[in-house]
Amino acid sequence: MTAETQKKPGLETLRAAISRLEGHSDRRRKVLPFGVREIDSRLPGGGLALGALHEVAGGGNDALHSAAAGQFCAGIAARTRGKVLWIVTRQDVFAPSLKQVGLSARRTIYVEAGSDVDVLACFEEGLRHGGLGAVVAEVARLSMTASRRLQLAAETSGSLGIAIRRWRRQTDAADFGQPTASVTRWRVSVLPSVPLPVPGVGRPRWLLELIRARAGECADFEVEACDGKGRLSLPAALADGSDQEAVGQRRASA
């Protein structure tokens, strides 16, 4: 028996103890794999946990990074089953861009709320409903208390909850670093497309940062944006065997 094998049971016991202290259920969650080994291997269970709350933000306070974060969330939601509830405070969701990553208008129910308080109320009700594949909500501030309520609602129904963190001022973005009950926290930044051998625009690329993963590892990934079925992929230069860790350094758990 190797030293690594001997350490593993102790590590699993420690993770279970932490989970109990945090008040989380010990039952094994179902997951939604990304289908990219380099990403799924960093997530407990091999994918994005269903029946859980996740946070996503753009890499900056501009429309470009915000749109990328929205498409990332839409690509995830597109791979769930059932209707998707999308809650906003601003009428700037461009439905064709969501369809481009697999989330059709026929599956999406849009709700406009007047404030973050209203967004969180609709968010919680949507998660408790239990008949939705995913609930996506754009929210600026997310307290520990509010996130715990959302996490418990998601655990009860089994629905996937995604909080898109959007701020009107960059100074408000500091709230994204505060502790929440979310299972994962992501940041999406736009990268230049790969040049084509002929005139045209290549497939969009993102820097995908997993900056918090409960009982998992944090890492950065350079990926090609979601396709028409909501699936990410690695750029060809990395998919042929290059190490993804060379693209982004592993980060300490938040």
Side-chain angles (χ1 to χ4, degrees):
M1 182 179 291
T2 64
E4 183 67 25
T5 304
Q6 290 175 331
K7 289 179 182 177
K8 190 172 182 180
L11 181 59
E12 295 300 328
T13 301
L14 179 59
R15 285 175 174 170
I18 292 173
S19 181
R20 286 193 297 272
L21 288 172
E22 290 181 338
H24 306 303
S25 172
D26 288 336
R27 69 178 183 275
R28 189 174 182 83
R29 287 195 181 97
K30 295 181 180 179
V31 300
L32 181 69
F34 282 98
V36 178
R37 181 182 59 81
E38 288 79 0
I39 300 176
D40 291 335
S41 64
R42 300 299 180 95
L43 297 168
L48 201 66
L50 299 173
L53 175 67
H54 306 273
E55 289 181 73
V56 178
N61 197 36
D62 54 68
L64 192 63
H65 295 299
S66 178
Q71 283 197 311
F72 174 64
C73 297
I76 294 171
R79 293 185 291 110
T80 63
R81 295 182 179 181
K83 294 285 187 178
V84 174
L85 181 64
W86 197 293
I87 309 163
V88 301
T89 54
R90 293 179 250 182
Q91 295 182 1
D92 59 356
V93 176
F94 188 54
S97 72
L98 304 188
K99 184 177 180 181
Q100 187 179 18
V101 295
L103 184 59
S104 69
R106 291 192 301 272
R107 286 189 58 199
T108 311
I109 304 168
Y110 294 102
V111 173
E112 182 183 359
S115 66
D116 270 6
V117 174
D118 295 333
V119 169
L120 292 172
C122 293
F123 199 177
E124 185 175 346
E125 284 300 313
L127 288 173
R128 290 193 185 282
H129 182 270
L132 299 168
V135 182
V136 182
E138 300 178 2
V139 61
R141 303 187 68 84
L142 185 64
S143 67
M144 175 60 81
T145 300
S147 65
R148 282 187 182 277
R149 290 181 63 92
L150 295 171
Q151 174 62 26
L152 288 172
E155 287 181 356
T156 300
S157 68
S159 296
L160 176 70
I162 305 176
I164 304 181
R165 307 297 303 277
R166 295 186 65 186
W167 306 275
R168 296 185 184 277
R169 296 177 298 275
Q170 187 60 36
T171 53
D172 295 335
D175 187 70
F176 190 55
Q178 298 303 311
T180 67
S182 302
V183 173
T184 64
R185 181 179 286 174
W186 305 79
R187 185 160 49 207
V188 186
S189 303
V190 176
L191 295 174
S193 299
V194 176
L196 297 176
V198 296
V201 179
R203 183 172 172 179
R205 292 192 305 150
W206 298 333
L207 174 62
L208 186 60
E209 300 172 77
L210 175 58
I211 58 179
R212 181 180 186 273
R214 185 187 298 163
E217 297 182 71
C218 300
D220 299 348
F221 311 95
E222 184 180 310
V223 299
E224 291 186 339
C226 298
D227 61 14
K229 294 183 178 179
R231 297 190 177 280
L232 299 168
S233 65
L234 294 182
L238 298 174
D240 65 5
S242 302
D243 191 352
Q244 180 67 255
E245 288 187 4
V247 177
Q249 296 180 346
R250 183 181 302 179
R251 295 173 178 267
S253 297

